[in-house]
C-alpha cells in the first residue's frame, strides 16, 4: 500500500513549515504521491482525497470510498509482535490464526495501533489537513513542475466532494505559479464544479458507460448528472481529457464507443479520449480493508479489445490515447 509522502509520514514537519494557518477549511487526504507521471502533464504531485459517492465495481482505490479515516491491516507485513494489541485502549484487537482481528464495534479509530505498529501492517487511510499543509507538501517539487510542465493534481476519491479544500489549496499553489489539475468523475453538485473548474489548468474525467441502466448497476449512480456536468464544463476554457476505463462486458462494445463519441461531438468541444484498461492490482487494498473484491469475476481486457475500441472511436473522429 502506498503511504503518505515521506515528509508527512508519522506526522513529521514538512521541509518548509506552513505559515498560512488562518483558514478554517480542513480536508481529508489519504495519500500525497510525489513524482506522479500518469495524473496529467509532466511530473506532478497527486493529492488523493477521501470520499467518493460512486461505487464502481473495478475501483482501484477502495480506501478512498468512505469520507472518514479508516484503518487497514496488511497481513503480509505483520510480524505478530502484538504491539498493536497492547496499544489499543478499547481492547478492540485480538491475535488470531489469520493475524490480528479487529472488533469494529469497539474500535474508535483513534489510530494508537498504527503508531505502535513497527512494520506499517496497521495503517491509517485518511488524515485531516489544512489547505496550507497540503500546499506545503506539493511545493516541495516545484522545480520539477517548472522543468516538465507538471504541477499538482487533486484526485481521489472524488475531489469535487471537498470543493472548498481543493479550491483553497489550488489558490495557494497558483499564487506561486504552480499549475493545478483535477481527476474527477463529475458526479458532483453543479456548485462544486463551478467552485473548482475556474482554478484548474487541466481536467481529467471519465465517461464510464453511456447506458444509464448499466451505469447504475456497475457504479451505483446514474450517469445523468455526470453528462450534464460535462456539458456545463464546456463553459470553462480549460483543456479536458476524457477517459474510458475499459471494463470487459460492461463498456467495451462498439455500441458504447459510438454512443460516447456521438455524445461528445453533439454536446461538448472535447475530442481527445484516453483508454485505461482495467487492472486488478488493487486486490490487496480490499483485503486490508476486510472487503470482498467486487470485480473478481470480471476478466481483464485483451489488447485486441482495447485496440478495437480505439479503432471504433477513431472512426467516429476522436483522437485516442492508449495506455
Ligand atoms: S484505531 Fe484505536 S481503537 Fe481502533 S483498533 Fe486501533 S488502537 Fe484500537
Ligand atoms: S503491531 Fe503491527 S506487526 Fe505487530 S502484531 Fe500488530 S499489526 Fe502485526
Amino acid at each position: 500500500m502506498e503511504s503518505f509522502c515521506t515528509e508527512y509520514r508519522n506526522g513529521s514537519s514538512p521541509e518548509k513549515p506552513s505559515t498560512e494557518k488562518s483558514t478554517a477549511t480542513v480536508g481529508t487526504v489519504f495519500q500525497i504521491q510525489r513524482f506522479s507521471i500518469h495524473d496529467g502533464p509532466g511530473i506532478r504531485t497527486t493529492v488523493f482525497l477521501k470520499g467518493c459517492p460512486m461505487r464502481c465495481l473495478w475501483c482501484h482505490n477502495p480506501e478512498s470510498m468512505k469520507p472518514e479515516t479508516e484503518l487497514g491491516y496488511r497481513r503480509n507485513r505483520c510480524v505478530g509482535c502484538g504491539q498493536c494489541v497492547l496499544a489499543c485502549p478499547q481492547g478492540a484487537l485480538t491475535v488470531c490464526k489469520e493475524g490480528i482481528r479487529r472488533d469494529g464495534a469497539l474500535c474508535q479509530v483513534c489510530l494508537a495501533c498504527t503508531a505502535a505498529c513497527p512494520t506499517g501492517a496497521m495503517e491509517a487511510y485518511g488524515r485531516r489537513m489544512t489547505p496550507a499543509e497540503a500546499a506545503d507538501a506539493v511545493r516541495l517539487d516545484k522545480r520539477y513542475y517548472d522543468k516538465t510542465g507538471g504541477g499538482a493534481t487533486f484526485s481521489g476519491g472524488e475531489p469535487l466532494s471537498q470543493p472548498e479544500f481543493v479550491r483553497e489549496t489550488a489558490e495557494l499553489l497558483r499564487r506561486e505559479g504552480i499549475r493545478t489539475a483535477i481527476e474527477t468523475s463529475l458526479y458532483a453538485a453543479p456548485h462544486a464544479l463551478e467552485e473548482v473548474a475556474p482554478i484548474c489548468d487541466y481536467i481529467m474525467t471519465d465517461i464510464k458507460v453511456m447506458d444509464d441502466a448499466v451505469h447504475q448497476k456497475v457504479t451505483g449512480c446514474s450517469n445523468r448528472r455526470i453528462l450534464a456536468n460535462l456539458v456545463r464544463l464546456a463553459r470553462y476554457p480549460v483543456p479536458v481529457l476524457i477517459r474510458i476505463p475499459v471494463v470487459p462486458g460492461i463498456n467495451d462494445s462498439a455500441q458504447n464507443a459510438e454512443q460516447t463519441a456521438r455524445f461528445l461531438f453533439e454536446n461538448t468541444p472535447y475530442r481527445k479520449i484516453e483508454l485505461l484498461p482495467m487492472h486488478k492490482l488493487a486486490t490487496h487494498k480490499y483485503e486490508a480493508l476486510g472487503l470482498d473484491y467486487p470485480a473478481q469475476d470480471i476478466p481483464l481486457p485483451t489488447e485486441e479489445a482495447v485496440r478495437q475500441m480505439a479503432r471504433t472511436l477513431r472512426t467516429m473522429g476522436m483522437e485516442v490515447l492508449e495506455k
Side-chain angles (χ1 to χ4, degrees), residues 8-323:
Y8 279 85
R9 202 176 289 139
N10 305 324
S12 58
S13 296
E15 195 174 275
K16 182 177 174 187
S18 168
T19 51
E20 302 185 59
K21 300 276 185 187
S22 57
T23 177
T25 302
V26 176
T28 306
V29 174
F30 73 86
Q31 187 186 1
I32 293 181
Q33 183 174 299
R34 297 169 69 181
F35 301 106
S36 300
I37 52 167
H38 298 299
D39 296 326
I43 290 176
R44 312 193 70 85
T45 293
T46 307
V47 180
F48 289 93
L49 297 167
K50 212 146 146 52
C52 180
M54 305 184 83
R55 291 293 178 268
C56 305
L57 295 181
W58 57 89
C59 180
H60 298 156
N61 288 331
E63 74 277 41
S64 74
M65 289 178 180
K66 291 187 180 171
E68 65 275 9
T69 298
E70 294 176 89
L71 192 63
Y73 171 62
R74 298 283 297 278
R75 191 183 169 196
N76 63 338
R77 290 183 183 167
C78 178
V79 293
C81 66
Q83 291 301 315
C84 54
V85 178
L86 294 174
C88 179
Q90 306 298 326
L93 298 176
T94 47
V95 181
C96 65
K97 196 160 70 321
E98 296 80 29
I100 299 296
R101 181 179 295 137
R102 181 174 63 109
D103 185 333
L106 294 176
C107 175
Q108 302 290 311
V109 199
C110 71
L111 306 184
C113 54
T114 64
C117 177
T119 66
M122 248 343 141
E123 192 168 35
Y125 302 137
R127 176 186 162 190
R128 304 279 282 163
M129 299 181 92
T130 64
E133 287 170 329
D136 284 343
V138 170
R139 74 165 64 85
L140 292 172
D141 293 326
K142 183 172 186 306
R143 62 188 181 279
Y144 299 109
Y145 315 147
D146 293 343
K147 276 190 190 146
T148 65
T153 298
F154 297 92
S155 184
E158 173 48 65
L160 296 183
S161 293
Q162 301 186 56
E164 298 86 4
F165 176 80
V166 172
R167 181 180 52 73
E168 289 183 28
T169 309
E171 283 173 352
L172 291 173
L173 295 170
R174 289 163 69 87
R175 269 186 229 158
E176 301 168 34
I178 296 175
R179 296 177 196 83
T180 50
I182 57 168
E183 281 183 315
T184 172
S185 70
L186 289 180
Y187 192 83
H191 74 80
L193 180 64
E194 284 154 15
E195 184 162 1
V196 171
I199 47 82
C200 290
D201 297 295
Y202 192 67
I203 294 180
M204 293 154 278
T205 188
D206 291 355
I207 297 182
K208 299 177 202 302
V209 55
M210 289 301 292
D211 183 309
D212 194 33
V214 176
H215 196 280
Q216 290 187 41
K217 193 169 157 202
V218 299
T219 71
C221 299
S222 166
N223 65 12
R224 289 195 187 141
R225 171 182 272 194
I226 292 168
L227 298 178
N229 274 337
L230 200 53
V231 175
R232 198 170 277 118
L233 193 55
R235 296 177 197 158
Y236 299 92
V238 53
V240 173
L241 175 65
I242 306 293
R243 289 165 152 181
I244 301 178
V246 184
V247 187
I250 289 175
N251 65 1
D252 59 343
S253 67
Q255 187 189 25
N256 183 59
E258 286 165 8
Q259 286 176 341
T260 305
R262 201 170 300 123
F263 175 85
L264 290 169
F265 266 105
E266 290 174 1
N267 299 283
T268 78
Y270 312 130
R271 303 291 179 261
K272 198 182 275 187
I273 291 184
E274 182 174 37
L275 297 179
L276 301 176
M278 166 198 159
H279 63 70
K280 295 192 175 185
L281 302 176
T283 50
H284 67 281
K285 298 183 181 181
Y286 285 87
E287 269 171 39
L289 288 160
L291 300 172
D292 291 332
Y293 181 52
Q296 190 67 46
D297 298 330
I298 301 177
L300 292 174
T302 62
E303 284 181 20
E304 177 49 30
V306 177
R307 270 200 296 272
Q308 182 54 49
M309 200 167 178
R311 276 195 291 271
T312 306
L313 288 163
R314 287 190 184 112
T315 303
M316 297 289 291
M318 304 303 296
E319 180 186 344
V320 182
L321 313 173
E322 293 174 64
K323 271 212 171 154

